[in-house]
């Protein structure tokens, strides 16, 4: 009897902390009527009609200019706003649950050249951190491994799934490289000047990376008796099927990355971070290289930069014709990913405007990740991954979701955080009466 009681107790605890049960497949058409629709491509429909069924959007139009019959369930949304689901690129969501517990940390592997490491199979669809993204409208993400010179391969998932197979939107979408720095910091404990100095190993590290790519290409041209998993994982890179994401910040390094792309004839390459990308704008445009800009809620890295330079960087690049989106890596990156819409709001206030800023976390991100045919905008034929907000979703005061859908399924907006909020608000409301 004692053991049954203990088992029941653990079951209750497990249930109280588990993620919300994934929503069932859409069973009837849904019509959202009267909301201001922000399409994600810069267009706005003030009084919209959006219909979706079987997980796909079937109509997006001005409700005042049509007499079309509404279909299925009708959601009256006058005074509210509809947005495409926000996309978080370059995130480790679902790979780490508790930083201090090693058994929950799956973000990197031992080694340097790891193109065969796949983040998707380590993705935890029941992560409580992932669940907390949804109430802010962040409904999809690119799950990226960390560590090594070549970290491994990312995949793109949606945030309402039983397991990683259900979550997958695009499997093994890109290879991630951590580009070496041309500068290093001295080690004071070794008697060196602790200041910044030129790295003596920079050229050698680039050469190692090039040699790996060339060796992989040579391996793939001939039949081998032994299997090399790392080299075989490069085949989709050389074919152009898999994008190459290079994590790099400095101007010199960015220009070297561009030379690297040309030398190895890489078809799709993306700069991630790009703190000094504004110094290489023409080179980026000439070589058709987009940038996933680091999150703007940060301090300047140079004493010569304006205090608001991180806020303005996305706008500077966008206004000069570079394809730009926002990412949220850095300190406390997983929990900060929920602030993605507010990063876009900041960029909007510093040189972009709201609808252009919205592109940084919707259509532009989808284009850079190669999933623009499925998500990123509210368009006929695309996945019904969208949400309704009471106000401006790029503003903390207006981002209050009433409904959210992933591939047509209406998902729960409750999390362990909303449960705690309601519990203690009830306590104080009761005490004040």
């Amino acid at each position: 009897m004692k053991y049954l009681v203990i088992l029941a107790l653990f079951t209750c605890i497990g249930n109280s902390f588990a993620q919300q049960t994934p929503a069932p497949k859409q069973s009837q058409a849904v019509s959202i009527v009267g909301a201001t629709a922000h399409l994600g491509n810069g267009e706005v429909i003030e009084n919209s009609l959006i219909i979706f069924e079987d997980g796909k959007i079937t109509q997006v139009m001005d409700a005042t200019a049509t007499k079309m019959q509404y279909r299925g369930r009708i959601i009256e949304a006058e005074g509210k706003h509809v947005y495409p689901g926000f996309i978080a690129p370059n995130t480790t969501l679902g790979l780490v649950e508790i930083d201090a517990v090693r058994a929950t940390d799956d973000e990197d592997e031992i080694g340097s050249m790891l193109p065969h490491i796949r983040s998707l199979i380590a993705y935890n669809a029941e992560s409580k951190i992932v669940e907390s993204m949804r109430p802010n409208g962040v409904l999809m993400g690119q799950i990226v491994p960390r560590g090594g010179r070549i970290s491994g391969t990312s995949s793109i998932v949606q945030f309402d799934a039983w397991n990683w197979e259900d979550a997958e939107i695009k499997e093994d979408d890109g290879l991630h490289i951590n580009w070496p720095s041309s500068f290093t910091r001295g080690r004071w404990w070794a008697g060196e000047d602790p200041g910044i100095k030129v790295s003596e190993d920079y050229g050698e590290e680039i050469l190692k990376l090039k040699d790996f790519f060339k060796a992989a290409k040579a391996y793939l041209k001939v039949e081998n008796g032994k299997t090399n998993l790392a080299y075989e994982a490069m085949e989709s890179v050389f074919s152009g099927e898999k994008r190459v994401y290079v994590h790099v910040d400095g101007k010199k390094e960015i220009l070297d990355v561009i030379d690297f792309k040309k030398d190895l004839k890489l078809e799709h390459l993306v700069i991630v971070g790009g703190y000094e990308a504004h110094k290489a704008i023409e080179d980026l445009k000439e070589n058709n290289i987009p940038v996933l800009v680091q999150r703007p809620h940060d301090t300047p890295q140079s004493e010569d930069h304006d205090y608001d330079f991180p806020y303005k960087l996305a706008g500077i690049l966008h206004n000069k014709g570079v394809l730009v989106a926002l990412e949220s890596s850095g300190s406390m990156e997983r929990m900060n990913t929920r602030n993605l819409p507010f990063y876009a709001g900041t960029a909007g206030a510093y040189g972009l405007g709201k609808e252009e800023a919205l592109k940084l976390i919707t259509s532009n991100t989808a284009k850079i990740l190669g999933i623009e045919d499925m998500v990123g905008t509210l368009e006929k034929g695309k996945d019904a991954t969208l949400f309704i907000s009471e106000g401006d979703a790029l503003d903390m005061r207006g981002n209050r979701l009433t409904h959210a859908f992933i591939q047509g399924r209406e998902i729960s907006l409750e999390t362990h955080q909303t449960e705690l909020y309601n519990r203690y608000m009830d306590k104080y409301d009761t005490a004040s009466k």
Side-chain angles (χ1 to χ4, degrees), residues 338-373:
R338 74 192 66 166
N339 293 323
L340 189 66
F342 313 134
Y343 299 156
T346 298
Y350 283 82
L352 277 180
K354 281 290 174 66
E355 299 309 317
E356 291 301 307
L358 178 61
K359 292 181 181 179
L360 303 183
I361 54 175
T362 55
S363 59
N364 282 11
T365 310
K367 289 176 185 176
I368 291 173
L369 300 185
I371 53 174
E372 69 272 23
D373 59 330

Side-chain angles (χ1 to χ4, degrees), residues 9 28 40 51 66 69 80 122 156 198 218-219 222 226 300 380:
L9 177 62
Q28 64 171 329
I51 302 175
T66 180
Q69 184 71 35
K80 298 180 180 179
I156 302 166
V198 175
Y219 169 90
V222 297
K226 296 182 179 180
K380 184 176 179 179

Side-chain angles (χ1 to χ4, degrees), residues 304-432:
D304 297 329
H305 287 159
D306 297 339
Y307 75 93
D308 56 359
F309 174 74
Y311 306 160
K312 300 186 293 187
L313 179 57
I316 292 171
L317 296 174
H318 174 86
N319 293 332
K320 290 291 187 178
V322 177
L323 180 60
V324 180
L326 290 180
E327 55 107 354
S328 60
S329 65
S331 175
M332 302 174 67
E333 65 171 278
R334 284 172 293 282
M335 52 285 289
N336 275 318
T337 300
R338 74 192 66 166
N339 293 323
L340 189 66
F342 313 134
Y343 299 156
T346 298
Y350 283 82
L352 277 180
K354 281 290 174 66
E355 299 309 317
E356 291 301 307
L358 178 61
K359 292 181 181 179
L360 303 183
I361 54 175
T362 55
S363 59
N364 282 11
T365 310
K367 289 176 185 176
I368 291 173
L369 300 185
I371 53 174
E372 69 272 23
D373 59 330
M374 294 183 283
V375 294
T377 56
L378 300 176
E379 290 184 69
K380 184 176 179 179
K382 292 192 176 183
D383 287 356
T385 299
L386 51 89
F387 64 88
I388 303 173
S389 174
E390 291 184 4
D392 180 357
L394 303 191
D395 189 319
M396 290 183 182
R397 298 164 297 179
N399 187 301
R400 296 187 299 274
L401 274 62
T402 60
H403 303 77
F405 302 86
I406 291 180
Q407 297 170 341
R409 306 184 307 275
E410 184 167 13
I411 64 172
S412 170
L413 295 173
E414 294 299 316
T415 71
H416 64 290
Q417 293 176 333
T418 59
E419 290 175 7
L420 289 171
Y421 170 83
N422 291 328
R423 179 193 303 174
Y424 287 99
M425 285 304 296
D426 288 345
K427 172 186 176 182
Y428 290 114
D429 286 345
T430 302
S432 65

